[in-house]
Amino acid sequence: MESHHKILLLDDDPDVLELYKDILAQLPSHPEVHTATTGARALALLDAEPFRLLICDLKMPRMDGLQVLSIVRRRVPEVRTVVLTGVPDEEFRSRAYALGVDLFWLKPETQQNMQMFLECLESLLGRDATAGFRGVQSKSLMDIIQMECLSQSSTVLRITRGALVGKIWMVEGELIHAETEGAVGEAAFQRILEWRSGTFENLPPEPDHERTINKPAHVLLLEMAQAMDETANPGAAGAGEELDHRKTVWKLSALTREGAEWIVSVPEKGVPEGWGTQAAEESAKWMRQAGELCKRLSERLEAGPLSHIEGCCLERRLILLPWEKKTFLLSWPPNWEAHRMVEQSKQIVASWDS
Amino acid sequence: MGFLNLFSKTGAAVQRLPSGSMTVDRDGNVVATTVSSAYPPELLHEIAVEVLRLFREARTAQIPLAEFNLHFASLRITAREMRGGAIVFLSPKTESTTSSPN
């Protein structure tokens, strides 16, 4: 038997409920539409059976829409929520979104507006409700934090999962602090990342907040990804692939963030790797030749070990940097300042394999 | 007087680092130089040959370089490719000359 999504309509006006019940029944996914005229009745229905979507009015006697939504968010965080109201008030809109509602819509007055509203509802009904964080479709919290880091955001992420609330402080893409359930710092961050679903909102940044997390964000995320993969799929092949994928994303983002164009790393023994370039093999060959050549010069001239090589041409500037048991070649834009380029190269290389 | 030779030191030769510039042709021959004449010419020639080799190998690897700096712990070698050769600057590093002039 085919199962249909269930929608719960909450409005204190029975005529409105009847009208929207008929309209919603025409949605392509043919949802099962239930109605409630009070917040208490709606909460009882939500407790009794699973609903995909709650469409809620704001102005209602006894318990208003915002109160209902805040309770729903705690008790049934997986249900999608829509505010449908006749009150064009910006404050209500922002308060509703702060509560994590998926959609705030003024009661449609035109056919076109109604059609758009129905399309939005259909889209919400179609989303996978099993996991993910509201606001970004099918993304894990780790993905959300990664996106914030990549865009070098300064924000405070407030994450809610039922009764649990966590906060993560970010300044220019760096994690500086986290708090939840009495835990702070890395421990809090790890607890929050273990939540598989919930809602999040961006609060204003607090750049002067005390710093309790000093590890780079990508290192923490990779450690967490590894731990979670191992817990969820011990020995599974996919876990390693996921981790590799995250490492690649972080490496490319590190390059982009610093302004570098590409990087090639050559181990003492083994296969060279390139990010942002297709010519890793050719570059690696030259890197090895240059390394040998410098070693000969160093011995003959007694000039000491090679620190690095800077090279330039019209198209780019290059840095060849021996680092631990690898050699790195980084390409930078031609107008990049030499001193800055060396320092930035060292920063990238220092965190490359961490 | 020969007994005085007993006290003379044969002296452990400490090789000085080259300082100055040189212009080299396509074969690595030093055409002109400001490096002290006390510095072994064969070492200057070796530097020139290695510098030209580095340019050539980079070109082969599709990384054509117009200029490079080799930063050793105590010496910086700057080389600019010129038509038919290169000009090479040799700068021993002291505490006050650790950064690149570029």
Side-chain angles (χ1 to χ4, degrees):
Chain A
M1 184 183 158
E2 195 184 349
S3 66
H4 297 286
H5 294 308
K6 287 184 188 170
I7 296 179
L8 179 57
L9 262 172
L10 170 59
D11 199 303
D12 60 328
D13 185 340
D15 293 338
V16 170
L17 287 179
E18 279 306 307
L19 173 68
Y20 277 93
K21 192 174 178 182
D22 289 345
I23 293 170
L24 295 180
Q26 295 165 17
L27 282 167
S29 57
H30 303 296
E32 204 179 304
V33 184
H34 296 244
T35 58
T37 51
T38 64
R41 172 72 183 145
L43 291 171
L45 283 171
L46 287 166
D47 280 341
E49 52 188 314
F51 282 87
R52 171 60 70 95
L53 188 64
L54 167 67
I55 301 175
C56 179
D57 187 17
L58 278 187
K59 284 200 167 176
M60 292 183 292
R62 286 196 288 277
M63 191 188 290
D64 69 28
L66 292 175
Q67 288 172 312
V68 173
L69 286 166
S70 66
I71 295 169
V72 168
R73 186 55 57 236
R74 282 203 309 276
R75 278 164 51 172
V76 270
E78 65 277 8
V79 76
R80 308 280 182 207
T81 48
V82 173
V83 169
L84 184 63
T85 179
V87 186
D89 189 312
E90 196 52 44
E91 187 198 330
F92 284 143
R93 180 192 292 269
S94 51
R95 283 175 64 191
Y97 278 123
L99 281 171
V101 303
D102 292 271
L103 186 65
F104 183 98
W105 202 277
L106 291 175
K107 283 178 177 165
E109 291 176 348
T110 64
Q111 178 63 28
Q112 192 183 9
N113 201 340
M114 176 60 83
Q115 192 56 41
M116 285 168 65
F117 176 61
L118 292 177
E119 283 172 12
C120 289
L121 291 186
E122 189 63 26
S123 166
L124 281 173
L125 286 172
R127 289 184 194 172
D128 182 6
T130 55
F133 275 74
R134 208 173 301 271
V136 183
Q137 285 187 46
S138 307
K139 293 292 176 195
S140 69
L141 185 55
M142 203 171 278
D143 292 319
I144 292 163
I145 293 170
Q146 197 168 35
M147 282 193 290
E148 296 286 356
C149 291
L150 295 184
S151 56
Q152 296 189 278
S153 295
S154 293
T155 186
V156 178
L157 276 177
R158 183 176 186 274
I159 298 127
T160 312
R161 176 173 164 72
L164 302 175
V165 177
K167 280 184 173 182
I168 297 171
W169 279 255
M170 305 181 75
V171 176
E172 293 177 354
E174 280 297 317
L175 292 169
I176 64 162
H177 182 66
E179 278 180 16
T180 189
E181 302 173 273
V184 294
E186 281 184 36
F189 182 69
Q190 287 173 0
R191 277 197 209 175
I192 295 169
L193 278 194
E194 284 165 3
W195 301 349
R196 306 296 289 185
S197 63
T199 60
F200 77 96
E201 58 184 300
N202 288 82
L203 303 178
E206 296 176 19
D208 298 326
H209 197 283
E210 178 197 6
R211 183 166 195 148
T212 57
I213 298 176
N214 293 305
K215 269 189 192 172
H218 70 281
V219 174
L220 269 179
L221 286 170
L222 284 173
E223 284 177 359
M224 281 301 296
Q226 196 164 19
M228 288 163 75
D229 287 341
E230 281 169 3
T231 308
N233 307 302
E241 288 171 15
E242 170 70 12
L243 192 64
D244 286 345
H245 170 69
R246 287 193 182 279
K247 281 184 178 175
T248 303
V249 169
W250 269 108
K251 286 179 172 181
L252 287 172
S253 71
L255 281 184
T256 311
R257 192 168 54 235
E258 295 293 338
E261 293 170 336
W262 49 259
I263 186 169
V264 174
S265 80
V266 180
E268 278 180 359
K269 291 173 187 171
V271 183
E273 291 179 307
W275 286 266
T277 174
Q278 299 293 319
E281 287 290 339
E282 292 94 329
S283 301
K285 187 180 173 192
W286 177 74
M287 289 162 70
R288 289 199 171 101
Q289 289 170 335
E292 287 297 317
L293 185 150
C294 288
K295 195 174 166 191
R296 286 196 300 272
L297 273 178
S298 164
E299 285 170 2
R300 289 292 286 144
L301 306 179
E302 298 177 14
L306 178 72
S307 158
H308 61 275
I309 299 176
E310 292 168 39
C312 67
C313 60
L314 282 176
E315 294 86 20
R316 67 179 71 94
R317 301 189 75 119
L318 293 167
I319 288 282
L320 185 148
L321 196 59
W323 193 270
E324 295 178 347
K325 293 188 175 179
K326 282 187 176 178
T327 305
F328 293 84
L329 183 67
L330 295 100
S331 171
W332 297 87
N335 54 350
W336 224 250
E337 191 187 335
H339 183 66
R340 191 175 152 211
M341 180 173 73
V342 175
E343 290 307 312
Q344 285 178 305
S345 298
K346 285 179 179 173
Q347 281 175 15
I348 292 174
V349 163
S351 62
W352 197 247
D353 288 323
S354 57
Chain B
M1 297 293 285
F3 75 94
L4 288 176
N5 290 336
L6 292 171
F7 302 101
S8 68
K9 292 180 181 176
T10 53
V14 177
Q15 183 177 294
R16 297 177 69 87
L17 289 166
S19 176
S21 65
M22 61 178 173
T23 309
V24 299
D25 67 12
R26 69 180 75 241
D27 301 317
N29 300 312
V30 178
V31 178
T33 181
T34 63
V35 178
S36 162
S37 57
Y39 195 79
E42 62 275 16
L43 278 182
L44 280 185
H45 177 65
E46 279 184 40
I47 295 170
V49 168
E50 298 287 26
V51 160
L52 294 177
R53 178 177 291 142
L54 196 54
F55 277 123
R56 194 171 54 247
E57 289 173 344
R59 214 165 27 242
T60 308
Q62 307 299 321
I63 312 170
L65 295 175
E67 179 181 327
F68 62 76
N69 286 280
L70 307 179
H71 290 262
F72 293 99
S74 57
L75 178 72
R76 188 180 72 236
I77 301 176
T78 301
R80 283 182 199 146
E81 195 170 38
M82 294 171 68
R83 209 173 141 186
I87 183 164
V88 183
F89 300 89
L90 303 159
S91 316
K93 285 187 179 177
T94 63
E95 284 183 11
S96 58
T97 60
T98 50
S99 62
S100 165
N102 295 328

